Amino acid sequence: MNPEPVSTVNVLIMTAFDSLHGTVVAADPSEPASSRPLTDWVFGYGSLIWDPGFEFHETGLAQVHGYHRTFCIRSTRYRGTPEQPGVVLGLDRGGSCIGMAFRLRPESRRAAVDALYEREMTGGVYVARQLSAILVDGRRVQALAFVANRSSASYERLNDDEIVRRLSACCGQRGRNREYAIRTWHSLAAHGVHCPHLGSVGRRLLETGCD
């Protein structure tokens, strides 16, 4: 069975989004908690898809332009160690990305944003940005997203062989690196989203017995 179906949902999403372009507004990652954006929406493209860790009252597929999903962040904590670093996803420059948009509950959005900063901003590997995201129904919303910080020493551009090697071997505080990759791949596929990069990596992991 193909775990990455090309569904009519995915075709409709791409058709609706192809002619739309988002705007990017930078947020200062060093700002104090009191001045962090009280955003209504969060855009997830990796583990946030299947493990958001915050309350929300609406969610659905969304696309952002100007960034694509790729394994470009060295992980020495959550999915690896300093001695055996893993690799996790980042939003890197160029292209577009389909992920999940989450609408936060007003009464808990401050707690949600603070938890996200604690989870994603440690070590300066990501930069917090407000991105223009297009929902399936055509709405355009401003969503908080965490993009790859190219100035960070943890930013890496790896070939697929090295990505698969790390995903196969590494493990960190949040578990095995390969589980992170495969769960993200399967979660997107369950929503009818075909991601060639994840699919290629995921199939190679399965071929080597990583399930």
Side-chain angles (χ1 to χ4, degrees):
M1 181 176 179
N2 182 1
E4 194 174 62
V6 179
S7 71
T8 56
V9 172
N10 196 43
V11 173
L12 288 172
I13 292 168
M14 293 307 296
T15 301
F17 290 151
D18 274 345
S19 63
L20 297 172
H21 299 279
T23 58
V24 178
V25 180
D28 182 357
S30 64
E31 64 195 352
S34 60
S35 62
R36 291 170 183 168
L38 274 178
T39 184
D40 289 323
W41 292 86
V42 171
F43 180 76
Y45 56 88
S47 62
L48 288 182
I49 295 172
W50 45 269
D51 182 25
F54 53 79
E55 295 182 343
F56 57 90
H57 66 92
E58 181 182 354
T59 186
L61 291 171
Q63 186 175 42
V64 298
H65 283 269
Y67 295 93
H68 66 282
R69 176 181 24 242
T70 187
F71 288 98
C72 63
I73 302 295
R74 182 171 68 249
S75 177
T76 59
R77 180 183 176 189
Y78 289 152
R79 299 291 171 176
T81 65
E83 296 75 24
Q84 193 171 31
V87 61
V88 294
L89 293 163
L91 281 182
D92 205 4
R93 299 174 192 165
S96 63
C97 177
I98 295 178
M100 298 297 293
F102 300 89
R103 190 174 187 178
L104 302 178
R105 292 184 177 276
E107 67 273 16
S108 60
R109 62 180 179 168
R110 168 55 67 198
V113 170
D114 288 346
L116 282 167
Y117 267 67
E118 176 65 24
R119 171 174 169 173
E120 305 292 344
M121 297 294 282
T122 301
V125 299
Y126 294 107
V127 176
R129 294 189 184 274
Q130 292 278 17
L131 303 184
S132 181
I134 312 301
L135 308 184
V136 175
D137 61 10
R139 282 179 293 165
R140 185 189 297 268
V141 301
Q142 290 294 307
L144 177 65
F146 297 92
V147 307
N149 180 5
R150 286 193 168 195
S151 298
S152 170
S154 294
Y155 174 79
E156 299 180 313
R157 302 180 73 173
L158 307 173
N159 61 44
D160 281 357
D161 287 345
E162 177 61 13
I163 290 170
V164 171
R165 186 196 70 77
R166 292 197 195 185
L167 292 175
S168 300
C170 297
C171 185
Q173 293 178 6
R174 289 183 178 268
R176 296 179 298 173
N177 209 176
R178 66 187 188 184
E179 178 186 357
Y180 163 90
I182 291 174
R183 287 193 69 177
T184 303
W185 173 36
H186 284 176
S187 294
L188 284 167
H191 289 283
V193 177
H194 171 81
C195 180
H197 181 52
L198 268 177
S200 174
V201 168
R203 281 186 290 271
R204 288 182 62 179
L205 290 173
L206 293 178
E207 288 169 1
T208 58
C210 299
D211 55 6

